[in-house]
Amino acid sequence: MKKTLKNNVHWVGKVDWELQKFHGDEYSTHNGSTYNAYLIQEEKNVLIDTVWSPFAAEFVDNLAKEIDLNKIDYIVVNHGEVDHSGALPELMKRIPSTPIYCTANAVKSLKGQYHQEWNFNVVKTGDKLDIGNGKELVFVEMPMLHWPDSMAAYLTKDNILFSNDAFGQHYATEKMFNDLVDQCDLYKEAIKYYANILTPFSHILRRKLDEIISLNLAIDIIAPSHGVIWRDNPMQIVEKYSQWANDYQQNQITIIYDTMWNGTKTMAENIAEGIEIADKEVEVKVFNLAKSDDNDLITEVFKSKTVVVGSPTVNRSILHSIAGFVHLMHELNFKNKKAATFGCYGWSGESTKVLSELLNKAGFEVIDEGLKNHWAPDQDGKLAAIEYGKKIAKA
């Protein structure tokens, strides 16, 4: 069932209440997601994006109830990733000659995934598509936000920016608009989305935001491809992105560890106590990696000024769970953050050295060589961890 955004612009997407993992198993979606597709019905009828392939047949059938498919004049593909383009093959079986407007890289993506020679029309920043009644779609390339093929489309007169993956959230809701949902839930999902998907491209995003602002577009609605549509003060999410893109941090220190026989856990808790003693203002959070969600932890890292990582020594190295998480942080290219390390050992004690080297390569400013504790912490070991926490707080 279509829902109206404004005038002759309608949502025709799919709410996926059951989605728990995205990008394979890489991204957790505790609150499901939506695949937002949009239908513009002016003198020309335009479909902007489709939905993920498991819902392709349902999408096409529902769309056919809203409009004679043969009356769709143009299809705009803002991004070729399968969660947006997955229903295209099913749709193009019905209307195979319909023009598709997308970037040159999107042509490569769509051909590479679906192996079809559709009626591709390549667009670049500033190109316009006349859709009648004095309205145009203006295209803005957005490479690496978050794929090389990404773009946005702006509808004149209605002042709607179809932003694709920028400004979205994995958040299933029937409410559709930002002013109708719980604001805490909305921003929790929005910052998680940014931290896990867009952080590596923050330097590109800063330039793109400046470019969009310089176009002096009146924006009444921002319609992303996932989650709610921003109609109430839509620039609030642009302002948030401007903050998040500038090496964001809050007054937070996050401790992340894994443990074998709870010695490293004891160290983590005492380090947290020391931080709190030394700085009453800082927010301290402690997470056992084995009992936490990686993407939720990445969000906490994103918010933190310092990350403290702990692992016992295993086979002269660290636990593979911690190694994988540090690798994930490395991939995301965090900036302007400090790090410290700790861990228990029984025999050789290399974990803090290994962790410090990995965190340094991941772009963190490592405070020192780390705190090691021989065997399980006794009272002196606990006091040493408290003192180490004080040192971290003052660093």
Side-chain angles (χ1 to χ4, degrees):
M1 180 180 72
K2 71 180 181 182
K3 300 180 180 180
T4 300
L5 271 69
K6 184 179 181 180
N7 298 330
N8 295 321
V9 182
H10 313 283
W11 179 91
V12 289
K14 171 67 180 179
V15 179
D16 189 350
W17 298 99
E18 297 183 357
L19 187 71
Q20 295 181 322
K21 293 288 185 179
F22 196 71
H23 285 161
D25 281 336
E26 281 292 292
Y27 187 107
S28 59
T29 51
H30 306 312
N31 292 307
S33 192
T34 69
Y35 314 110
N36 297 337
Y38 302 99
L39 179 65
I40 304 170
Q41 295 177 286
E42 297 291 347
E43 291 179 40
K44 300 292 186 179
N45 297 308
V46 185
L47 176 68
I48 298 182
D49 293 323
T50 66
V51 301
W52 191 25
S53 48
F55 306 104
E58 176 186 349
F59 170 78
V60 174
D61 288 345
N62 287 340
L63 187 61
K65 295 174 184 175
E66 304 297 343
I67 185 174
D68 179 346
L69 298 181
N70 292 296
K71 291 184 178 179
I72 296 175
D73 296 288
Y74 311 122
I75 298 170
V76 173
V77 176
N78 278 332
H79 173 30
E81 197 170 3
V82 69
D83 53 315
H84 311 296
S85 68
L88 261 183
E90 186 72 20
L91 178 61
M92 298 308 285
K93 289 177 185 176
R94 310 271 282 272
I95 48 173
S97 61
T98 304
I100 295 173
Y101 288 78
C102 62
T103 65
N105 276 326
V107 174
K108 296 176 184 177
S109 172
L110 295 171
K111 285 185 176 181
Q113 293 180 95
Y114 305 121
H115 314 291
Q116 299 292 322
E117 292 290 339
W118 292 318
N119 181 8
F120 293 111
N121 294 261
V122 172
V123 296
K124 58 186 183 301
T125 296
D127 286 350
K128 299 176 181 179
L129 182 63
D130 188 344
I131 63 171
N133 295 325
K135 298 182 181 181
E136 295 176 319
L137 280 172
V138 183
F139 301 107
V140 181
E141 294 169 277
M142 300 181 72
M144 299 317 301
L145 299 176
H146 66 123
W147 274 20
D149 68 326
S150 299
M151 73 173 186
Y154 174 77
L155 178 60
T156 63
K157 290 199 171 181
D158 286 321
N159 302 338
I160 301 174
L161 179 67
F162 300 96
S163 60
N164 196 254
D165 275 331
F167 312 125
Q169 335 86 45
H170 287 301
Y171 185 16
T173 176
E174 287 285 355
K175 298 295 185 182
M176 195 164 80
F177 294 109
N178 68 304
D179 52 307
L180 300 180
V181 300
D182 183 281
Q183 299 301 291
C184 292
D185 288 345
L186 171 57
Y187 270 98
K188 181 178 179 181
E189 292 300 337
I191 195 171
K192 177 179 177 178
Y193 187 94
Y194 187 99
N196 283 273
I197 295 176
L198 293 168
T199 295
F201 315 116
S202 288
H203 63 293
I204 299 172
L205 179 61
R206 287 194 294 268
R207 294 198 302 269
K208 185 55 63 174
L209 288 173
D210 289 341
E211 180 183 325
I212 291 173
I213 291 169
S214 71
L215 294 174
N216 292 317
L217 301 175
I219 298 177
D220 294 338
I221 293 176
I222 295 177
S225 286
H226 297 293
V228 301
I229 295 158
W230 303 87
R231 70 173 180 185
D232 178 44
N233 182 21
M235 295 306 288
Q236 65 180 283
I237 189 61
V238 179
E239 292 164 6
K240 282 293 184 183
Y241 266 50
S242 293
Q243 295 173 19
W244 295 339
N246 281 283
D247 302 337
Y248 184 73
Q249 60 176 235
Q250 298 177 12
N251 188 23
Q252 177 175 323
I253 297 175
T254 300
I255 301 172
I256 299 169
Y257 71 93
D258 202 349
T259 190
M260 294 174 69
W261 302 111
N262 288 335
T264 301
K265 174 183 178 181
T266 300
M267 292 182 74
E269 292 172 348
N270 283 276
I271 290 169
E273 182 179 343
I275 294 170
E276 198 275 334
I277 290 170
D279 186 347
K280 300 293 185 183
E281 301 300 319
V282 71
E283 183 171 10
V284 185
K285 295 185 179 182
V286 182
F287 298 96
N288 182 334
L289 178 62
K291 301 179 185 298
S292 304
D293 178 274
D294 283 359
N295 304 114
D296 293 342
L297 291 192
I298 286 295
T299 309
E300 298 302 331
V301 171
F302 180 71
K303 294 188 290 184
S304 298
K305 61 182 182 180
T306 301
V307 182
V308 189
V309 185
S311 171
T313 296
V314 182
N315 297 326
R316 296 186 174 180
S317 189
I318 58 177
L319 289 169
H320 72 272
S321 57
I322 290 290
F325 189 77
V326 175
H327 177 72
L328 177 57
M329 290 196 293
H330 191 171
E331 287 181 329
L332 291 170
N333 197 26
F334 290 109
K335 302 292 185 185
N336 193 33
K337 297 186 187 296
K338 292 182 170 65
T341 66
F342 66 98
C344 288
Y345 71 101
W347 306 104
S348 54
E350 291 90 348
S351 69
T352 53
K353 180 181 179 183
V354 171
L355 273 174
S356 294
E357 290 174 351
L358 290 174
L359 286 164
N360 182 262
K361 289 178 181 177
F364 291 83
E365 179 188 338
V366 180
I367 291 171
D368 63 11
E369 295 181 355
L371 178 67
K372 298 191 289 187
N373 192 93
H374 199 198
W375 302 110
D378 58 9
Q379 191 58 33
D380 288 341
K382 294 175 182 178
L383 290 173
I386 290 172
E387 290 303 312
Y388 190 55
K390 293 178 182 178
K391 180 180 180 181
I392 291 167
K394 296 173 182 176

